[in-house]
């Protein structure tokens, strides 16, 4: 788990910093995930070297957040973010400190972090530095704020939602004092940008224990200050590896107001289009899907709608064959497979373009999809002559 490219790059950076006389460790989520035997993709290094000192050690660096002490160090194994130990200044907007102060103490740096499980450092020799009981909390499968929970959440209100997200992602409990602090400060989540909230929900939807996470969202009071209705009971049994399915299911639970609610989370146009298609396919399933539906929707959209139908125990006729098998049996897979186009219809008919042309093309497509007409130029021409010319 710790022999992948990111870890090797981090080890290389730490080794060079130590050779230059500085202290350096791996920190944050990578250490937590290593202890949980989970893959870690973002392996970050913290050091007592100041940013300019870090830059003096390595020939290739990029200033990606140097005002906050972060330098991107590029070594043969790959790029690694290296951040100077720091303490945070006053938080005035519930989101970020007005300024940071660089320090030489690892303990001071770890003290400012959100949860004990994220406040463990790992040295090059594989030993751990754990001032706040993070290892013990991981063994207990417990999310606990570092130090005073009220203070941690007053600094950055998003940490409250992160606690809930981690509980869903890892199937961890939230310590009683930490949950109590969230309940006290839940309204502060309103200070957080929707984009940051969406990023947390993206991860919650694909967690190990989504139902438990949604219940904690309601229990904590956070759900009352977020757009939409989370309705925890409906999430029982929900599981996916695709965050878009989470947004589509959340949208389904919102009823007719889903567009305004989901749009409030700043989904991209592409994400919104997927959600719309899944909900449309779900509604169509109530009457039963035809070849037209297998043609107009992607397999991913239909599979999502079918999954939701099972979750909601929708009384609908689900297909016996798989969706992909049924799609493969269609005469054509896309409109571009048609052997004629609008120009052919205009030429054959001698008519001018107009609404009739769109209707003729749609009717022709439907007839072919339903095996009522072959995708053959002469047969299509004969069929059009009977119906439109």
């Amino acid at each position: 788990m710790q022999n992948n490219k990111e870890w090797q790059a981090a080890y290389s950076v730490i080794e060079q910093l130590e050779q230059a006389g500085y202290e350096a460790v791996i920190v944050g989520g990578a250490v937590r995930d290593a202890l949980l035997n989970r893959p870690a993709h973002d392996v970050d290094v913290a050091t007592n070297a100041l940013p300019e000192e870090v830059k003096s050690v390595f020939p290739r660096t990029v200033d990606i957040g140097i005002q906050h002490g972060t330098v991107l160090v590029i070594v043969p194994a790959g790029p690694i973010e290296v951040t100077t130990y720091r303490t945070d200044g006053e938080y005035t907007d519930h989101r970020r400190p007005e300024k940071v102060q660089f320090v030489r103490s690892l303990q001071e740096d770890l003290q400012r972090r959100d949860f004990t499980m994220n406040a463990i450092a790992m040295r090059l020799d594989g030993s751990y530095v754990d001032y706040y009981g993070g290892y013990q909390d991981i063994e207990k499968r417990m999310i606990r704020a570092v130090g005073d929970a009220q203070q941690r959440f007053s600094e950055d209100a998003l940490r409250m939602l992160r606690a809930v997200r981690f509980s869903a992602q890892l199937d961890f409990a939230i310590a009683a004092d930490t949950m109590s602090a969230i309940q006290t400060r839940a309204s502060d989540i309103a200070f957080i940008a929707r984009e940051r909230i969406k990023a947390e929900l993206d991860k919650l939807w694909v967690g190990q224990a989504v139902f438990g996470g949604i219940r904690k969202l309601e229990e904590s009071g956070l759900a009352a200050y977020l757009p939409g209705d989370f309705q925890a009971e409906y999430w029982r049994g929900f599981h996916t590896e695709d965050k878009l399915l989470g947004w589509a299911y959340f949208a389904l639970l919102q009823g007719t107001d889903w567009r305004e609610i989901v749009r409030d989370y700043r989904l991209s146009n592409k994400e919104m289009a997927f959600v719309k298609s899944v909900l449309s396919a779900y509604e169509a399933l109530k009457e039963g899907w035809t070849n037209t539906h297998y043609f107009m929707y992607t397999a991913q959209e239909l599979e999502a709608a079918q999954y939701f139908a099972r979750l909601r125990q929708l009384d609908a006729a689900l297909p016996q064959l798989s969706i992909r098998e049924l799609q493969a049996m269609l005469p054509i897979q896309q409109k571009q497979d048609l052997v004629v186009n609008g120009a052919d219809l205009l030429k054959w008919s001698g008519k001018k373009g107009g609404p009739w042309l769109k209707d003729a093309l749609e009717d022709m497509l439907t007839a072919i999809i339903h095996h009522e007409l072959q995708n053959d130029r002469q047969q299509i021409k004969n069929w059009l002559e009977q119906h439109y010319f």
Side-chain angles (χ1 to χ4, degrees), residues 1-8 10 26-44 80 122:
M1 198 73 73
Q2 297 172 33
N3 292 320
N4 64 24
K5 198 172 181 182
E6 290 84 358
W7 281 92
Q8 292 306 317
I26 294 171
V27 292
V31 180
R32 176 200 69 232
D33 289 338
L35 289 168
L36 288 166
N37 290 316
R38 288 166 51 91
H41 303 293
D42 296 319
V43 185
D44 297 326
I80 290 291
M122 190 176 82

Side-chain angles (χ1 to χ4, degrees), residues 5-6 8-14 16 58-60 72-80:
K5 198 172 181 182
E6 290 84 358
Q8 292 306 317
Y11 291 147
S12 172
V13 167
I14 291 173
Q16 291 180 67
F58 301 94
R60 295 182 64 197
L72 187 71
V73 172
I74 302 169
V75 293
I80 290 291

